[in-house]
Amino acid sequence: MSYFKQHVFFCVNQRQAGENCCNNHCAEDVRGYAKKRIKELGLNGEGKVRINTAGCLDRCDEGPVLVVYPEGVWYTYVDNADIDEIISEHIQNGRVVERLKI
């Protein structure tokens, strides 16, 4: 078994001015929010969930993006409410959030 049950990778890449990139959508702040929520819910640590920072995940035109492994489910999001839904539905209950899936 892996040390963590799930890894959530947030693209926080910043491209040159004018180019699409996840960090143009405050990806670093949203990643911080997700990390805080996972800790508040007691979902972090060995055998649980790890929130990770990723460089470019090469899907910037669909961004901002995150991917949940080991499932390999890709999501986009608009705000913290979307992150709350991903945590509640996917992380806690194992249900893919179809409306946010890319």
Side-chain angles (χ1 to χ4, degrees):
M1 179 177 190
S2 177
Y3 186 81
F4 294 106
K5 179 182 175 189
Q6 291 170 308
H7 286 264
V8 181
F9 290 93
F10 278 81
C11 178
V12 297
N13 189 54
Q14 182 65 58
R15 291 185 175 179
Q16 294 182 16
E19 292 184 73
N20 286 335
C21 69
C22 294
N23 215 35
N24 285 349
H25 302 277
C26 302
E28 186 68 48
D29 293 339
V30 176
R31 186 209 59 87
Y33 174 79
K35 188 171 184 151
K36 180 182 78 117
R37 287 297 298 142
I38 290 293
K39 284 183 180 180
E40 289 171 352
L41 294 167
L43 299 174
N44 65 309
E46 184 178 350
K48 298 179 184 176
V49 180
R50 172 79 180 170
I51 303 296
N52 294 84
T53 298
C56 185
L57 293 173
D58 205 24
R59 294 188 81 175
C60 296
D61 289 335
E62 300 175 80
V65 299
L66 65 88
V67 60
V68 180
Y69 286 113
E71 299 93 323
V73 176
W74 290 78
Y75 291 111
T76 189
Y77 55 87
V78 174
D79 54 25
N80 291 345
D82 289 342
I83 298 304
D84 287 335
E85 186 174 357
I86 292 167
I87 291 171
S88 172
E89 291 300 308
H90 189 128
I91 302 298
Q92 292 182 298
N93 294 302
R95 295 185 293 257
V96 173
V97 182
E98 293 294 334
R99 73 177 191 85
L100 299 174
K101 186 177 170 189
I102 57 171

